[in-house]
PDB file of all heavy atoms in Angstrom:
ATOM      1  N   VAL A1234     -61.343-219.816-172.543  1.00  0.00           N
ATOM      2  CA  VAL A1234     -61.110-218.469-171.998  1.00  0.00           C
ATOM      3  C   VAL A1234     -60.477-217.661-173.121  1.00  0.00           C
ATOM      4  O   VAL A1234     -59.457-218.063-173.686  1.00  0.00           O
ATOM      5  CB  VAL A1234     -60.199-218.515-170.757  1.00  0.00           C
ATOM      6  CG1 VAL A1234     -59.810-217.098-170.333  1.00  0.00           C
ATOM      7  CG2 VAL A1234     -60.896-219.231-169.613  1.00  0.00           C
ATOM      8  N   ILE A1235     -61.121-216.546-173.450  1.00  0.00           N
ATOM      9  CA  ILE A1235     -60.685-215.777-174.617  1.00  0.00           C
ATOM     10  C   ILE A1235     -60.228-214.383-174.211  1.00  0.00           C
ATOM     11  O   ILE A1235     -60.923-213.669-173.493  1.00  0.00           O
ATOM     12  CB  ILE A1235     -61.817-215.686-175.656  1.00  0.00           C
ATOM     13  CG1 ILE A1235     -62.146-217.107-176.136  1.00  0.00           C
ATOM     14  CG2 ILE A1235     -61.442-214.783-176.821  1.00  0.00           C
ATOM     15  CD1 ILE A1235     -63.289-217.178-177.110  1.00  0.00           C
ATOM     16  N   LYS A1236     -59.037-214.049-174.698  1.00  0.00           N
ATOM     17  CA  LYS A1236     -58.436-212.735-174.425  1.00  0.00           C
ATOM     18  C   LYS A1236     -58.715-211.814-175.619  1.00  0.00           C
ATOM     19  O   LYS A1236     -58.864-212.285-176.742  1.00  0.00           O
ATOM     20  CB  LYS A1236     -56.923-212.951-174.257  1.00  0.00           C
ATOM     21  CG  LYS A1236     -56.090-211.733-173.962  1.00  0.00           C
ATOM     22  CD  LYS A1236     -54.619-212.177-173.883  1.00  0.00           C
ATOM     23  CE  LYS A1236     -53.663-211.011-173.972  1.00  0.00           C
ATOM     24  NZ  LYS A1236     -53.714-210.115-172.840  1.00  0.00           N
ATOM     25  N   ASP A1237     -58.777-210.512-175.358  1.00  0.00           N
ATOM     26  CA  ASP A1237     -59.051-209.515-176.416  1.00  0.00           C
ATOM     27  C   ASP A1237     -60.286-209.933-177.224  1.00  0.00           C
ATOM     28  O   ASP A1237     -60.257-209.971-178.466  1.00  0.00           O
ATOM     29  CB  ASP A1237     -57.829-209.352-177.332  1.00  0.00           C
ATOM     30  CG  ASP A1237     -56.608-208.870-176.584  1.00  0.00           C
ATOM     31  OD1 ASP A1237     -56.795-208.119-175.608  1.00  0.00           O
ATOM     32  OD2 ASP A1237     -55.483-209.251-176.947  1.00  0.00           O
ATOM     33  N   TYR A1238     -61.335-210.231-176.502  1.00  0.00           N
ATOM     34  CA  TYR A1238     -62.548-210.762-177.114  1.00  0.00           C
ATOM     35  C   TYR A1238     -63.205-209.749-178.056  1.00  0.00           C
ATOM     36  O   TYR A1238     -63.317-208.559-177.733  1.00  0.00           O
ATOM     37  CB  TYR A1238     -63.550-211.173-176.024  1.00  0.00           C
ATOM     38  CG  TYR A1238     -64.887-211.585-176.566  1.00  0.00           C
ATOM     39  CD1 TYR A1238     -65.081-212.861-177.070  1.00  0.00           C
ATOM     40  CD2 TYR A1238     -65.953-210.688-176.594  1.00  0.00           C
ATOM     41  CE1 TYR A1238     -66.303-213.241-177.586  1.00  0.00           C
ATOM     42  CE2 TYR A1238     -67.186-211.059-177.105  1.00  0.00           C
ATOM     43  CZ  TYR A1238     -67.355-212.342-177.609  1.00  0.00           C
ATOM     44  OH  TYR A1238     -68.566-212.704-178.122  1.00  0.00           O
ATOM     45  N   ALA A1239     -63.637-210.268-179.190  1.00  0.00           N
ATOM     46  CA  ALA A1239     -64.487-209.500-180.110  1.00  0.00           C
ATOM     47  C   ALA A1239     -65.451-210.522-180.714  1.00  0.00           C
ATOM     48  O   ALA A1239     -65.108-211.714-180.843  1.00  0.00           O
ATOM     49  CB  ALA A1239     -63.652-208.848-181.196  1.00  0.00           C
ATOM     50  N   PRO A1240     -66.673-210.101-181.085  1.00  0.00           N
ATOM     51  CA  PRO A1240     -67.673-211.065-181.575  1.00  0.00           C
ATOM     52  C   PRO A1240     -67.173-211.909-182.742  1.00  0.00           C
ATOM     53  O   PRO A1240     -67.590-213.069-182.890  1.00  0.00           O
ATOM     54  CB  PRO A1240     -68.840-210.174-181.989  1.00  0.00           C
ATOM     55  CG  PRO A1240     -68.714-208.967-181.107  1.00  0.00           C
ATOM     56  CD  PRO A1240     -67.254-208.755-180.931  1.00  0.00           C
ATOM     57  N   ASP A1241     -66.243-211.364-183.599  1.00  0.00           N
ATOM     58  CA  ASP A1241     -65.786-212.175-184.733  1.00  0.00           C
ATOM     59  C   ASP A1241     -64.990-213.403-184.298  1.00  0.00           C
ATOM     60  O   ASP A1241     -64.732-214.311-185.078  1.00  0.00           O
ATOM     61  CB  ASP A1241     -65.008-211.322-185.739  1.00  0.00           C
ATOM     62  CG  ASP A1241     -63.759-210.707-185.133  1.00  0.00           C
ATOM     63  OD1 ASP A1241     -63.509-210.959-183.935  1.00  0.00           O
ATOM     64  OD2 ASP A1241     -63.041-209.995-185.862  1.00  0.00           O
ATOM     65  N   MET A1242     -64.623-213.418-183.032  1.00  0.00           N
ATOM     66  CA  MET A1242     -63.935-214.598-182.494  1.00  0.00           C
ATOM     67  C   MET A1242     -64.873-215.815-182.550  1.00  0.00           C
ATOM     68  O   MET A1242     -64.429-216.953-182.761  1.00  0.00           O
ATOM     69  CB  MET A1242     -63.535-214.292-181.040  1.00  0.00           C
ATOM     70  CG  MET A1242     -62.661-215.323-180.405  1.00  0.00           C
ATOM     71  SD  MET A1242     -61.060-215.425-181.222  1.00  0.00           S
ATOM     72  CE  MET A1242     -60.636-217.095-180.813  1.00  0.00           C
ATOM     73  N   LEU A1243     -66.150-215.545-182.367  1.00  0.00           N
ATOM     74  CA  LEU A1243     -67.124-216.633-182.415  1.00  0.00           C
ATOM     75  C   LEU A1243     -67.205-217.214-183.832  1.00  0.00           C
ATOM     76  O   LEU A1243     -67.403-218.422-184.008  1.00  0.00           O
ATOM     77  CB  LEU A1243     -68.510-216.143-181.957  1.00  0.00           C
ATOM     78  CG  LEU A1243     -68.569-215.585-180.525  1.00  0.00           C
ATOM     79  CD1 LEU A1243     -69.983-215.128-180.189  1.00  0.00           C
ATOM     80  CD2 LEU A1243     -68.101-216.625-179.516  1.00  0.00           C
ATOM     81  N   ASP A1244     -67.025-216.360-184.855  1.00  0.00           N
ATOM     82  CA  ASP A1244     -67.020-216.828-186.243  1.00  0.00           C
ATOM     83  C   ASP A1244     -65.873-217.810-186.471  1.00  0.00           C
ATOM     84  O   ASP A1244     -66.020-218.820-187.161  1.00  0.00           O
ATOM     85  CB  ASP A1244     -66.872-215.639-187.212  1.00  0.00           C
ATOM     86  CG  ASP A1244     -68.024-214.647-187.055  1.00  0.00           C
ATOM     87  OD1 ASP A1244     -69.093-215.085-186.569  1.00  0.00           O
ATOM     88  OD2 ASP A1244     -67.837-213.471-187.393  1.00  0.00           O
ATOM     89  N   HIS A1245     -64.748-217.489-185.859  1.00  0.00           N
ATOM     90  CA  HIS A1245     -63.584-218.385-185.968  1.00  0.00           C
ATOM     91  C   HIS A1245     -63.912-219.770-185.401  1.00  0.00           C
ATOM     92  O   HIS A1245     -63.537-220.795-185.970  1.00  0.00           O
ATOM     93  CB  HIS A1245     -62.400-217.756-185.217  1.00  0.00           C
ATOM     94  CG  HIS A1245     -61.276-218.696-184.977  1.00  0.00           C
ATOM     95  ND1 HIS A1245     -60.358-219.025-185.963  1.00  0.00           N
ATOM     96  CD2 HIS A1245     -60.925-219.420-183.872  1.00  0.00           C
ATOM     97  CE1 HIS A1245     -59.484-219.893-185.462  1.00  0.00           C
ATOM     98  NE2 HIS A1245     -59.809-220.148-184.201  1.00  0.00           N
ATOM     99  N   LEU A1246     -64.666-219.771-184.297  1.00  0.00           N
ATOM    100  CA  LEU A1246     -65.015-221.049-183.660  1.00  0.00           C
ATOM    101  C   LEU A1246     -66.048-221.822-184.492  1.00  0.00           C
ATOM    102  O   LEU A1246     -65.919-223.037-184.688  1.00  0.00           O
ATOM    103  CB  LEU A1246     -65.551-220.818-182.240  1.00  0.00           C
ATOM    104  CG  LEU A1246     -64.533-220.249-181.240  1.00  0.00           C
ATOM    105  CD1 LEU A1246     -65.222-219.826-179.953  1.00  0.00           C
ATOM    106  CD2 LEU A1246     -63.441-221.282-180.936  1.00  0.00           C
ATOM    107  N   THR A1247     -67.036-221.093-184.955  1.00  0.00           N
ATOM    108  CA  THR A1247     -68.071-221.778-185.748  1.00  0.00           C
ATOM    109  C   THR A1247     -67.480-222.298-187.064  1.00  0.00           C
ATOM    110  O   THR A1247     -67.917-223.317-187.586  1.00  0.00           O
ATOM    111  CB  THR A1247     -69.269-220.848-186.034  1.00  0.00           C
ATOM    112  OG1 THR A1247     -68.778-219.601-186.516  1.00  0.00           O
ATOM    113  CG2 THR A1247     -70.096-220.610-184.791  1.00  0.00           C
ATOM    114  N   ALA A1248     -66.465-221.600-187.586  1.00  0.00           N
ATOM    115  CA  ALA A1248     -65.811-222.048-188.822  1.00  0.00           C
ATOM    116  C   ALA A1248     -65.153-223.412-188.622  1.00  0.00           C
ATOM    117  O   ALA A1248     -64.944-224.163-189.579  1.00  0.00           O
ATOM    118  CB  ALA A1248     -64.775-221.022-189.267  1.00  0.00           C
ATOM    119  N   GLN A1249     -64.830-223.741-187.358  1.00  0.00           N
ATOM    120  CA  GLN A1249     -64.239-225.052-187.057  1.00  0.00           C
ATOM    121  C   GLN A1249     -65.310-226.087-186.728  1.00  0.00           C
ATOM    122  O   GLN A1249     -65.006-227.178-186.239  1.00  0.00           O
ATOM    123  CB  GLN A1249     -63.280-224.918-185.873  1.00  0.00           C
ATOM    124  CG  GLN A1249     -62.039-224.105-186.203  1.00  0.00           C
ATOM    125  CD  GLN A1249     -61.038-224.163-185.059  1.00  0.00           C
ATOM    126  OE1 GLN A1249     -60.584-225.243-184.688  1.00  0.00           O
ATOM    127  NE2 GLN A1249     -60.726-223.006-184.518  1.00  0.00           N
ATOM    128  N   GLY A1250     -66.542-225.692-186.892  1.00  0.00           N
ATOM    129  CA  GLY A1250     -67.638-226.631-186.662  1.00  0.00           C
ATOM    130  C   GLY A1250     -68.185-226.598-185.255  1.00  0.00           C
ATOM    131  O   GLY A1250     -69.037-227.418-184.890  1.00  0.00           O
TER     132      GLY A1250
END
Side-chain angles (χ1 to χ4, degrees):
Chain A
V1234 172
I1235 298 177
K1236 180 182 164 67
D1237 299 328
Y1238 173 81
D1241 61 0
M1242 188 65 205
L1243 300 180
D1244 300 337
H1245 166 79
L1246 294 170
T1247 48
Q1249 292 188 59

